[in-house]
Structure formats: structure tokens, C-alpha cells
């Protein structure tokens, strides 16, 4: 355990929460993906979930190495917290965008399918931007996410609003 704590720069036991949440989220996502393929066979679903979890864990550890120098964070465990914020924000923007689209009366039946999906994506992106900063603030990473948000806004060509 001490080797794990040293590798992730964990000084206090409460910081173990973020690697634990990351592993639990990864396992849950892998199980859901595996269940899409083998819904009727529980053993195959579990085996495939373990394989997917292992593959995704290797992929995310690779991403950590690549992003470690790019993202300026004090401790490595904070990167897990940042990834969790991105995951929660992405999922939340879909859950918030769907009722707003319905509330506006935008459906696939009354619009062209391409126009519907374009509006759905635009509304999702707008709420994603807002929620990214909010969830970043709640996670204690407001500075990181505000700088990330400003960079994203500049890439959308709206840099005059943040400069």
C-alpha cells in the first residue's frame, strides 16, 4: 500500500478515495459495455468486463503518463479527480440536454434528423461548458478547469469574451 501511495503522491488516507472511485467507475463502465455484448450469459459478461477493465486501465495509465507533463497539477492523484470530473460532466450534459430539447419542443418527428442532432449537440456543448467549471469547482480543481475552459472558448473563436 505504501508503494501505491508513493506512486500516486498520496499523503493522507482520504486521498485514496479518488483512485478507488476511478477503479469502481472503470469496473462499472466495463461491465455495462460487456453486458451490451453478452446480456444473456453472466459468466461471459464478467470475463469480458474484466478484460475490458484491464485494457482500459492500461490505456488510462498511458494517458496519465502523456498528460502528466501537460497538465500542471501538484499531485498525481489529482489527475484521477480531473478525469472523474470530465466523466461526470459529460454524462450530466446529456441528462440535462435531453429534457431541455423536449421542453423546447424539438423532436425528431418535427425536424430533420440532422437538424435535431445538430441542435442536441449544440445544447449539450453549452451545458457541458457551464457544468465543467461548476463540477471542477466542487472537486477543488477550479483553477485547472477555468484555464481549460478559457482555452476551449478561445478554440471556439470566442476568445474576446474571456480575454
Amino acid at each position: 500500500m505504501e508503494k501505491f501511495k508513493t506512486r500516486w503522491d498520496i499523503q493522507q488516507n482520504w486521498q485514496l478515495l479518488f483512485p478507488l472511485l476511478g477503479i469502481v467507475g472503470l469496473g462499472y463502465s466495463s461491465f455495462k459495455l460487456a453486458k451490451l455484448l453478452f446480456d444473456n450469459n453472466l459468466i461471459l459478461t464478467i470475463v469480458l468486463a474484466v478484460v475490458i477493465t484491464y485494457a482500459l486501465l492500461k490505456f488510462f495509465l498511458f494517458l496519465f503518463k502523456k498528460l502528466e507533463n501537460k497538465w500542471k497539477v501538484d499531485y498525481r492523484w489529482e489527475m484521477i479527480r480531473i478525469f472523474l470530473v470530465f466523466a461526470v460532466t459529460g454524462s450530466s450534459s446529456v441528462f440535462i440536454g435531453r429534457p431541455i430539447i423536449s421542453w423546447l419542443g424539438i423532436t425528431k418527428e418535427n425536424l430533420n434528423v440532422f437538424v435535431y442532432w445538430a441542435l442536441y449537440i449544440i445544447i449539450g456543448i453549452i451545458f457541458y461548458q457551464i457544468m465543467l467549471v461548476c463540477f471542477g469547482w466542487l472537486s477543488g480543481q477550479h483553477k485547472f478547469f477555468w484555464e481549460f475552459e478559457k482555452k476551449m472558448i478561445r478554440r471556439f473563436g470566442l476568445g474576446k469574451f474571456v480575454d
Side-chain angles (χ1 to χ4, degrees), residues 150-163:
K150 288 193 294 189
K151 190 187 314 181
M152 199 178 307
I153 289 171
R154 285 186 194 103
R155 287 184 181 160
F156 286 146
L158 304 171
K160 61 185 172 192
F161 295 113
V162 294
D163 291 334

Side-chain angles (χ1 to χ4, degrees), residues 31-55:
F31 182 76
K32 293 296 272 188
L33 284 172
K35 194 170 178 178
L36 286 173
L37 297 173
F38 297 111
D39 191 25
N40 297 331
N41 192 334
L42 183 63
I43 294 173
L44 274 175
T45 302
I46 292 172
V47 169
L48 184 60
V50 169
V51 170
I52 292 172
T53 301
Y54 179 77

